[in-house]
Amino acid sequence: ITGRQEYLEAARKVVTGFATITAAAPNAVPVLVQAATKLSLGMQRVVVVGKRGDDSTEALLSSFDDMYLPFVTLIPLVDGKESQILSDECKSMLCNYETTQRATAYVCNGNECLEPVETREALKQQLSLAFARPQRG
C-alpha cells in the first residue's frame, strides 16, 4: 500500500515467523489470531475489587456470566494477596476499597478507566457501552 520496502520486509518476517509456528502446531493459528486482535485493540480490562464471598463482590463478578467479551481481561482483586504483583493503578484501586469497604468495578481501556461502579447493573451497562462491537450490515 505504501510502497515502502521496510514495511514489506517487516511484514514478511512476521508471516515467516507465524509460518514456522503453524507448520509445527496448526492448532495454534486461532490463538495467534486472537493474540494479534488483542494487541491491536489495546489492553481492555475490568478490575473488580472486593471481598470474596461478599454478595456485592460476587454480583459484580457475575456480570460476565452472560456476556461474550473475548478480548477483555477480568482482574479480580478479592483475596488481598495480590498486592505484590499489582500495577500502581491497581494498588490505588485496592487502597480505595480498603477505605470504603465497598465492592467496586473499574472498566479500563488502555490507560483510561471509566467512573468506578458498585452495582452489577451499572457494570453491565458500562461493559456494553465500552466494549460493544459495531454491527455489520
Side-chain angles (χ1 to χ4, degrees):
I1 295 172
T2 64
R4 295 183 61 176
Q5 188 62 33
E6 62 267 24
Y7 293 157
L8 178 61
E9 190 57 37
R12 186 174 286 124
K13 286 179 182 177
V14 169
V15 171
T16 302
F18 283 139
T20 304
I21 293 170
T22 57
N27 57 342
V29 172
V31 176
L32 292 171
V33 170
Q34 184 179 24
T37 303
K38 191 165 186 158
L39 282 172
S40 72
L41 293 173
M43 178 63 168
Q44 299 178 323
R45 66 203 177 287
V46 176
V47 180
V48 175
V49 185
K51 184 175 181 179
R52 177 74 65 192
D54 180 69
D55 289 344
S56 56
T57 303
E58 297 303 324
L60 290 172
L61 291 170
S62 73
S63 299
F64 296 86
D65 291 350
D66 58 353
M67 297 184 82
Y68 180 67
L69 301 167
F71 303 112
V72 176
T73 302
L74 171 62
I75 304 171
L77 302 179
V78 295
D79 296 322
K81 300 175 187 172
E82 306 89 351
S83 59
Q84 302 92 339
I85 60 169
L86 297 179
S87 68
D88 289 339
E89 176 187 48
C90 288
K91 286 179 184 176
S92 69
M93 293 172 184
L94 196 55
C95 286
N96 184 50
Y97 171 75
E98 291 170 357
T99 302
T100 65
Q101 292 295 304
R102 291 194 308 259
T104 308
Y106 301 83
V107 176
C108 306
N109 195 351
N111 293 325
E112 297 179 6
C113 296
L114 299 175
E115 182 177 333
V117 294
E118 297 177 357
T119 66
R120 182 178 195 273
E121 294 74 24
L123 177 55
K124 287 183 75 71
Q125 182 178 17
Q126 279 192 355
L127 291 171
S128 295
L129 295 173
F131 303 125
R133 300 284 178 252
Q135 298 294 321
R136 294 183 182 181

